[in-house]
Amino acid sequence: MNRPRIAGTVPTVDAPNPAAPTPTALALVAPVALTALTAVLVLTVRHEGQVTDPSGLSWWYAACWLLFAAATWSLRHVPARRVVPLVMCGAVLVAVTGLVAAPRTSTDSFRYAWDGRVQAAGLSPYDRTPADPALTGLRDDWLFPRGERACAGPDRAPVGPGTCTRINRPQVHTIYPPVAEGYFLLVHVVSPPEARHKVLQTGAALLAVATTAALLVILRRRGDPRHAAYWAWCPAVPIEAVNNAHVDVLAVLLSVTALGVVVRHRAAGGALLGLAIAAKMLPAVLLPGALSGVRRLRDTGAVLLSAAVVVGLVYLPYVLVSHASVLGYLGGYAEEEGYGDSSAQARYALVRLVFPDSWALPLVVVAMLLMVAYVLRRGDPERPWSGALVVTGTAFLLMTPGYSWYALLLIALVALDGRWEWLTIAVAGAASYVTGRALGEVTVTVAYGLAAAAILTGWLLRRRQGRGAVRHLSYDIA
């Protein structure tokens, strides 16, 4: 704030503080913290503790998130010309840490490999389950171990006498949409013999780094490139996107590109968003953000129609060749996870703290409709990711999902928007998935409750800072 000067006085200059760190020293904090984060991530990824030592693994996760916070906070002191190279270098280093071990906390990538193999054999992945005896000829000792210890370990499921599989839910059909299935086929085709999980992990690492590049392109035009580090250096990226090779990272790259394009090219942005939805369904929550503040019916139609057409076109080949439903086990999966059951312990945990269980699902639906209406009405069409973040983050807080990789999409939205407090939802997801194994279902309620408190605090502080900026401007003008 400018202080009024008294006539005849000489303005004073604050004396330098010898104890204060120099700008050069502060600029070194980010690369040092990033190096430490990389080292701890390697140890975390190599730790086999989800089942045997979830408490210990939780502490490793906490260390990673604290170092991530230190690295991104100190990035503000790095000179502008060095930000982009440092963020990209960090993105590569962090992503590579996910390659140092086989998938640790998820078996989803085994289903990916199987679906790719089935398609390469000329079959629809939606028609038969992995346990189907008709597909015995496609089995190998990696996905379907045999012998005395074939079923040893928590990640094995029986599919026949003396035979188990690493694929989870082998008795049900796949749930993955066609863009994801096309990706699985591509990975299978380019994989050398005996590559197993490594090609899926490497592909995911490339997609994660490509997402950082896309974020930097958008933020150099419409934001602060430093915010790209919220994605590039986030511990969830090497753990969930790379090590566990979740296909969500493909959907995230398509979603980020779509939101960057839709500002100027509605139809093209809608088409890319359709591809994202056909990769992992979850990006459908971005549609209100993509339409935020749009007043012309023609623009709204361009986004929605192009998205719908793309989804229909990519599903069509599978519809034509499949004898079973191309939705696969999607409905059963939603029921299994408790999203249709208001009394499910882990779902709608925050809503059920206040309201009866039977009210939870209707209240969530009403709250989401109100939030969507607000974003459509009041959102900024020049920053569609802001509205998308609010809708997506609200959905997470209301539904309290227990799988940590779902938050990958939200992390990318935080990187676009810059409101770092929403990252606490990703922390809550990780705590629910890992720490919850040691402490029980109460972890979900506590973790998401703390995230909601952090987001509310951030909103109040930003609102207060905004009012202060207005008062400051008024004083300067006066």
Side-chain angles (χ1 to χ4, degrees):
M1 181 178 296
N2 295 335
R3 296 179 179 177
R5 288 182 54 189
I6 301 175
T9 62
V10 178
T12 59
V13 178
D14 294 335
N17 181 5
T22 63
T24 302
L26 290 173
L28 293 175
V29 175
V32 170
L34 179 60
T35 302
L37 171 62
T38 303
V40 174
L41 276 169
V42 170
L43 298 174
T44 303
V45 170
R46 294 182 66 86
H47 186 82
E48 298 184 17
Q50 185 191 14
V51 176
T52 59
D53 184 25
S55 297
L57 183 58
S58 297
W59 286 112
W60 281 110
Y61 272 41
C64 290
W65 278 94
L66 288 173
L67 287 169
F68 164 66
T72 52
W73 179 85
S74 57
L75 189 59
R76 69 178 69 184
H77 300 293
V78 175
R81 67 182 183 279
R82 298 179 183 173
V83 168
V84 171
L86 180 59
V87 170
M88 279 303 301
C89 179
V92 174
L93 291 174
V94 167
V96 167
T97 65
L99 302 175
V100 301
R104 281 292 190 252
T105 57
S106 171
T107 57
D108 285 357
S109 60
F110 299 124
R111 171 74 76 158
Y112 303 168
W114 175 252
D115 282 3
R117 185 180 301 178
V118 168
Q119 292 177 90
L123 303 173
S124 168
Y126 301 106
D127 279 347
R128 298 183 183 272
T129 69
D132 194 323
L135 301 182
T136 302
L138 298 179
R139 297 176 181 177
D140 63 1
D141 292 338
W142 171 50
L143 291 179
F144 293 84
R146 304 172 188 271
E148 295 182 359
R149 296 187 56 81
C151 297
D155 62 339
R156 309 293 171 86
V159 292
T163 303
C164 276
T165 182
R166 289 185 166 91
I167 302 171
N168 61 54
R169 302 177 181 88
Q171 307 293 341
V172 303
H173 295 80
T174 190
I175 65 171
Y176 298 103
V179 170
E181 292 294 346
Y183 173 68
F184 303 155
L185 175 59
L186 174 63
V187 171
H188 177 84
V189 170
V190 302
S191 297
E194 302 301 323
R196 298 185 173 181
H197 60 271
K198 277 301 178 186
V199 180
L200 279 165
Q201 289 180 324
T202 302
L206 294 174
L207 291 172
V209 174
T211 301
T212 300
L215 288 167
L216 286 170
V217 169
I218 296 171
L219 291 173
R220 292 186 73 176
R221 299 174 180 174
R222 298 177 175 275
D224 186 349
R226 289 175 172 83
H227 294 162
Y230 291 146
W231 164 269
W233 302 354
C234 183
V237 173
I239 293 172
E240 301 298 356
V242 181
N243 181 253
N244 290 325
H246 281 116
V247 73
D248 301 62
V249 67
L250 172 61
V252 169
L253 174 58
L254 291 169
S255 298
V256 167
T257 308
L259 292 176
V261 170
V262 78
V263 176
R264 291 289 175 264
H265 305 284
R266 300 291 181 186
L272 287 168
L273 194 52
L275 289 175
I277 295 169
K280 191 58 193 283
M281 295 297 182
L282 182 58
V285 300
L286 305 181
L287 282 169
L291 298 173
S292 56
V294 175
R295 297 290 179 262
R296 295 192 302 179
L297 184 60
R298 181 180 64 182
D299 291 339
T300 301
V303 173
L304 295 178
L305 182 61
S306 57
V309 168
V310 167
V311 170
L313 287 176
V314 295
Y315 262 109
L316 182 59
Y318 288 95
V319 171
L320 294 177
V321 301
S322 300
H323 300 288
S325 169
V326 292
L327 295 180
Y329 186 61
L330 186 61
Y333 176 79
E335 182 179 353
E336 177 185 319
E337 291 301 315
Y339 290 107
D341 183 2
S342 297
S343 63
Q345 288 187 343
R347 300 292 80 82
Y348 317 119
L350 299 185
V351 178
R352 291 168 55 237
L353 275 178
V354 182
F355 299 99
D357 290 354
S358 60
W359 292 22
L361 184 56
L363 285 174
V364 167
V365 172
V366 171
M368 287 304 303
L369 289 175
L370 291 175
M371 184 57 67
V372 167
Y374 174 80
V375 167
L376 291 174
R377 178 67 178 172
R378 302 294 298 276
D380 184 355
E382 295 296 317
R383 295 177 57 85
W385 43 83
S386 294
L389 174 60
V390 172
V391 172
T392 305
T394 301
F396 273 80
L397 290 176
L398 292 174
M399 297 181 183
T400 58
Y403 291 138
S404 48
W405 52 89
Y406 288 177
L408 288 170
L409 178 61
L410 183 135
I411 294 167
L413 295 175
V414 171
L416 284 169
D417 187 69
R419 285 176 284 180
W420 58 266
E421 61 269 20
W422 289 88
L423 287 173
T424 54
I425 292 178
V427 179
S432 300
Y433 187 62
V434 176
T435 313
R437 291 177 177 267
L439 302 181
E441 295 292 347
V442 68
T443 308
V444 178
T445 304
V446 173
Y448 279 102
L450 292 174
I455 292 166
L456 178 60
T457 301
W459 177 77
L460 291 173
L461 290 176
R462 292 178 190 280
R463 185 178 178 87
R464 182 177 179 181
Q465 290 173 353
R467 290 176 177 175
V470 172
R471 288 197 299 268
H472 189 174
L473 178 63
S474 300
Y475 184 89
D476 287 343
I477 293 174

